[in-house]
Amino acid sequence: MTIDQTFIDFFRRHGHIPTTGSSLITRPGDPVLFTTSGMHPLTPYLEGDPHPLGRRLVGVQRCLRTTDLDEVGDPTHLTVFEMLGSWSLGDYGTEQTLRWGYELLTEGFGIPKSSLYVTVFGGDDQVPLDQESLTTWQDLGLPIELTTDDNWWSNGPTGPCGPDSEIFVWTGDGDPEGTPTTDDRWVEVWNHVMMRYRRLDNHDLEPLQQQNIDTGLGLERLTMLLEGKNSVYETSLFEPWTRIIPGLWKLDEHDERIVIDHLRSSMVIIGDGVHPSNTGRGYVLRRLIRRVLTLLWRSDDTRTLSDLPMELFEHTSEHFHQGEVLTLIRRILIDEEIRFTNLLDRGRRILSHERFQKTLDDSDFEYLHETHGLPRDLVLQLVA
């Protein structure tokens, strides 16, 4: 049985109804471009609206985060990823969710109790210590570290928020040592948010209409831990990518991870209906594709996205349950490569003018962008 199915089946046995994983595209009126967390599509129901499926939900949600783009290339960060989630919409509380979390990790997934460490919100000038989480973990016999900012969850500067309790797994050799904040071999695997408050524009907190539980567990990171791998890219989830890409293009490990992540993410974004453009969601997609091409062409400008075999498109579409025509996704990627090639050629011609044979200042960058459509980061790349 797959990891995500084990997760869903566990919560189904405890009265949770599976939800259909939503698109990366947020609902109309949402100021955020992409779905960033499992709870994002559920915000109205966390605020008190009744959910048509009931008060206990479980699901797998694909997410996209641009805030972590600079981290992509390390062992764990991804642009598009999948989040396993369980939710209580005004139903059960803190002790129940933590006990279920402990049971699933130890009995369902076979993680030794000795490899677990938890963190708990220690309180601040607005909200007291999360005593219920502390007591529950003490009763289960797990080591506990108290923090403040690290154990407070919010989806933005305003809106639903609350203290959280995070479960970490030891990934180092030998016996565990240190704590989650002192040793990065403790890897966070599951976050349980006690969503009790709403942050107002003036930074004050008010109680939510109902007390909720929102948990999130990254599928790729959990797979890495359960398969005993050193990075998410080494897991079975990325098998076709890590088998095929090294055979196509010789890259160092860091650049290879970025290329794999950005291409995979681009396919998923296009599969959810986004096309490259100069604004909004389309610009995020354009940046991902152009970053891939920049890395590929750094050492060999004959590399092209048309080298990608259909197996990668088929695997990605099947994994994310998307029905977009695969040849269309491939065509969009290649068309964007052609546009970028033409833009680079035009940019080189413009920058060869004597006006730009000097250190460029802000007025030069503004002129190049507004008159010729050359963004600052592209100009910097061309003059480097």
Side-chain angles (χ1 to χ4, degrees):
M1 186 182 296
T2 61
I3 290 172
D4 55 344
Q5 195 59 53
T6 298
F7 182 89
I8 291 172
D9 286 352
F10 175 87
F11 281 98
R12 288 185 69 170
R13 291 196 298 272
H14 293 290
H16 293 65
I17 304 300
T19 63
T20 302
S22 301
S23 163
L24 288 174
I25 310 307
T26 53
R27 64 190 181 280
D30 194 319
V32 180
L33 292 177
F34 293 102
T35 300
T36 59
S37 64
M39 61 74 63
H40 199 142
L42 296 174
T43 301
Y45 310 108
L46 293 164
E47 293 270 16
D49 290 352
H51 194 285
L53 295 180
R55 301 171 71 186
R56 296 186 181 191
L57 305 175
V58 62
V60 183
Q61 172 66 50
R62 56 180 172 269
C63 306
L64 186 152
R65 290 182 186 170
T66 56
T67 53
D68 294 335
L69 276 181
D70 290 339
E71 306 297 328
V72 172
D74 71 6
T76 60
H77 284 89
L78 297 166
T79 306
V80 169
F81 59 95
E82 290 184 283
M83 188 67 74
L84 306 174
S86 60
W87 297 275
S88 165
L89 305 176
D91 190 3
Y92 57 82
T94 299
E95 180 178 5
Q96 184 64 84
T97 189
L98 298 184
R99 288 187 178 276
W100 278 338
Y102 174 79
E103 179 185 345
L104 180 53
L105 289 179
T106 57
E107 299 180 20
F109 291 125
I111 299 175
K113 176 180 179 179
S114 59
S115 296
L116 299 178
Y117 211 120
V118 298
T119 59
V120 169
F121 181 71
D124 59 19
D125 57 358
Q126 286 185 296
V127 179
L129 162 73
D130 183 1
Q131 185 64 54
E132 189 173 0
S133 291
L134 179 63
T135 302
T136 302
W137 291 129
Q138 287 174 334
D139 186 56
L140 290 169
L142 292 184
I144 304 164
E145 182 175 27
L146 299 179
T147 81
T148 50
D149 292 346
D150 287 343
N151 281 106
W152 183 266
W153 192 94
S154 60
N155 198 40
T158 61
C161 57
D164 66 54
S165 186
E166 299 175 354
I167 307 174
F168 291 77
V169 175
W170 176 251
T171 62
D173 296 327
D175 294 333
E177 54 186 280
T179 70
T181 63
T182 63
D183 195 319
D184 60 12
R185 289 174 293 179
W186 287 107
V187 174
E188 179 197 343
V189 65
W190 201 350
N191 190 13
H192 292 246
V193 181
M194 280 50 84
M195 202 169 289
R196 304 167 179 163
Y197 303 97
R198 180 185 294 105
R199 179 79 67 182
L200 305 178
D201 289 334
N202 64 2
H203 305 299
D204 286 345
L205 295 173
E206 67 177 13
L208 284 174
Q209 177 180 329
Q210 63 188 23
Q211 305 286 286
N212 306 295
I213 298 294
D214 160 41
T215 86
L217 191 162
L219 175 61
E220 294 85 357
R221 186 174 294 187
L222 176 61
T223 303
M224 178 189 77
L225 295 171
L226 294 180
E227 293 184 355
K229 304 299 185 182
N230 294 317
S231 81
V232 294
Y233 299 94
E234 297 172 30
T235 67
S236 56
L237 297 175
F238 284 84
E239 183 280 323
W241 286 93
T242 51
R243 170 171 50 84
I244 291 172
I245 293 299
L248 285 180
W249 307 311
K250 185 175 178 55
L251 301 161
D252 64 36
E253 181 179 62
H254 184 264
D255 287 356
E256 182 181 285
R257 288 173 175 174
I258 294 175
V259 166
I260 289 173
D261 169 85
H262 285 13
L263 283 175
R264 180 177 181 261
S265 298
S266 295
M267 290 178 187
V268 179
I269 295 169
I270 296 170
D272 273 353
V274 178
H275 290 206
S277 68
N278 289 326
T279 59
R281 299 184 184 99
Y283 184 62
V284 173
L285 173 60
R286 175 160 282 169
R287 284 178 60 199
L288 293 176
I289 298 171
R290 291 183 174 181
R291 190 180 187 195
V292 167
L293 293 169
T294 300
L295 291 176
L296 292 181
W297 293 341
R298 183 183 291 163
S299 57
D300 185 351
D301 61 8
T302 67
R303 292 167 171 169
T304 171
L305 299 184
S306 60
D307 294 335
L308 292 170
M310 288 306 296
E311 180 181 354
L312 294 177
F313 294 87
E314 292 164 356
H315 175 273
T316 303
S317 178
E318 180 180 346
H319 180 81
F320 286 94
H321 308 291
Q322 293 177 307
E324 188 76 20
V325 178
L326 301 184
T327 53
L328 175 60
I329 296 177
R330 185 174 186 272
R331 183 73 258 166
I332 290 171
L333 288 178
I334 294 173
D335 284 349
E336 184 60 21
E337 177 182 329
I338 294 170
R339 288 192 195 93
F340 190 42
T341 300
N342 293 337
L343 182 63
L344 289 175
D345 290 342
R346 184 163 61 87
R348 292 188 184 98
R349 290 196 301 272
I350 294 169
L351 290 171
S352 67
H353 191 278
E354 62 180 4
R355 170 181 174 175
F356 304 111
Q357 304 305 304
K358 62 178 181 65
T359 300
L360 302 181
D361 57 28
D362 287 342
S363 64
D364 294 320
F365 286 115
E366 183 177 357
Y367 168 79
L368 288 167
H369 185 246
E370 292 187 357
T371 305
H372 298 287
L374 299 173
R376 187 187 190 100
D377 56 350
L378 178 61
V379 173
L380 292 172
Q381 177 184 324
L382 290 172
V383 301

